[in-house]
Every structure is written in structure tokens, then in C-alpha cells.
Amino acid sequence: MSTADLARGHSSATLSEASGLAVALSPEIRSLWAGARLCGPAFTVQGAGGDNLALHHAVLPAPPGSVLVADVGGARFGHWGEILTVAAQQRGIVGLLIDGGVRDAAEIEALGFPVFSRGNAIFGTRKDFRGVLGRPVQVGGVTVHTGDLVVGDVDGVVALPASDIERILDRADARVTHENELMKRLREGRSTLDLYDNFETAGR
């Protein structure tokens, strides 16, 4: 199964609503380049702001198919760039989610490597803190554990608890089926007010 299939093709918004949980990260965490999609099990990294040594250490043990999920305290430094991207791709890592800044956006886009971050920052980093790997981290206001399913797209990022993934995906399947039926009826001339019993609380 490809990493894209792990979320059954569902969007971050659908997964967030289907979960019934606080799984959506801060909207300040965005894709580095247009069209990027992130999907894979998390491999967590506790780093330090303005220091990227932990990320260098994380690339080696991260399992192929995983997404590096790094907490660097939201610091606006260039914690990640082209060199780490090439190293990560060679190890089979499928993306990066980082609560902090990155750089080399054009080069990373050309490599097709999905990165979700707090934006670009060209400030250089030191290499002093080796970091802690595999422990729960705080990213975008959500606690992420190694093994949680991370999905990011144009709407944002969610981190689904590993113990609850199947339930959430089943509910997402049902939600999409229901919404497809609603859209069919709308195209037949019905109104949204007709279709929702309680429109004000339906979230649409």
C-alpha cells in the first residue's frame, strides 16, 4: 500500500470533521509549495529552535515511508533545506512536518518533497542539540506521537491518533458518501436549506 492510500485519499478537512477530535493543527502550519500533499505515519523529533542537529540525527533511523514530525518551538530559522531533503529522500522518508521555519523552498519543490512548516526563513542554524527521537511532540498545538497518521494538503494538516485511525477513516468514507449524495441533489435543484435539518449547526 502506498503512503497516499493510508488516508484512503481523504482530505485533511474531511478527516478533521470525521474524527470528532482536536486533530487539526494550527492554520499557521502550511505547505511550503503549492500542491504538496503529506501522508504517512509520524516519526517524531524533539529539537531546539535555531538548531537543526536533531533533524540530521532523525533522518537515519526514520523508517521508510514515514513523515518526520519536528518540534522546534515555532522558531523562524532555516532548520531544513535542500541537503536534508535529498538525504531524507534517499532514506525513503516521504515528507516533513515542522513547527518552525525552513528554507530552499524552490529547490524542495523541484524535488517534489512535501514540507509543511511555519514558512520560509533564511536565518542559519547551529548544531548543538542532538534532540530526542520518538517521544511525543507538540506541533501546531497538537500532540503528535510516533505512529500517528499525518495528512496535510492545501487546507491544512491533521494528526490522527494511531489507535483511532480505522474508525476515523471509516467515518470519513461515510461522510464522503453522504456529501456526494447531497451534491447530487443540489445539482437537481434542491437548496442547502432543504437538505440540512439544522443548517446552523451543520457546519456548512
Side-chain angles (χ1 to χ4, degrees):
M1 178 182 290
S2 72
T3 54
D5 294 331
L6 294 177
R8 301 183 192 169
H10 292 304
S11 70
S12 62
T14 293
L15 293 169
S16 177
E17 293 176 356
S19 73
L21 304 171
V23 298
L25 276 62
S26 165
E28 294 182 359
I29 306 283
R30 308 297 299 176
S31 59
L32 184 64
W33 48 273
R37 177 172 170 80
L38 190 67
C39 184
F43 183 79
T44 59
V45 187
Q46 180 63 60
D51 190 316
N52 77 344
L53 183 58
L55 292 167
H56 286 274
H57 278 282
V59 166
L60 290 175
S66 64
V67 173
L68 289 183
V69 179
D71 175 11
V72 291
R76 303 296 181 110
F77 288 81
H79 298 95
W80 184 277
E82 182 181 14
I83 289 174
L84 273 169
T85 296
V86 172
Q89 288 183 315
Q90 288 300 113
R91 305 292 297 186
I93 296 166
V94 298
L96 171 71
L97 169 61
I98 182 169
D99 199 331
V102 298
R103 64 184 183 186
D104 297 341
E107 291 83 356
I108 292 172
E109 179 178 7
L111 289 165
F113 188 77
V115 170
F116 284 68
S117 69
R118 288 193 181 268
N120 291 15
I122 61 174
F123 300 115
T125 56
R126 62 189 184 277
K127 291 177 172 60
D128 297 325
F129 179 55
R130 294 174 62 91
V132 181
L133 308 182
R135 82 175 201 184
V137 294
Q138 280 281 322
V139 179
V142 173
T143 301
V144 182
H145 299 76
T146 288
D148 290 351
L149 180 61
V150 175
V151 180
D153 54 31
V154 67
D155 287 322
V157 187
V158 294
L160 310 182
S163 62
D164 216 14
I165 292 171
E166 290 303 312
R167 179 193 69 86
I168 294 170
L169 292 178
D170 289 344
R171 290 189 61 178
D173 289 343
R175 184 179 182 88
V176 168
T177 298
H178 177 64
E179 289 187 346
N180 285 339
E181 179 60 28
L182 291 179
M183 287 185 282
K184 177 177 178 289
R185 295 183 184 182
L186 289 171
R187 293 185 178 103
E188 294 170 347
R190 301 287 296 278
S191 76
T192 54
L193 291 174
D194 290 335
L195 298 176
Y196 284 103
D197 292 332
N198 190 348
F199 185 77
E200 289 78 10
T201 61
R204 294 291 184 194

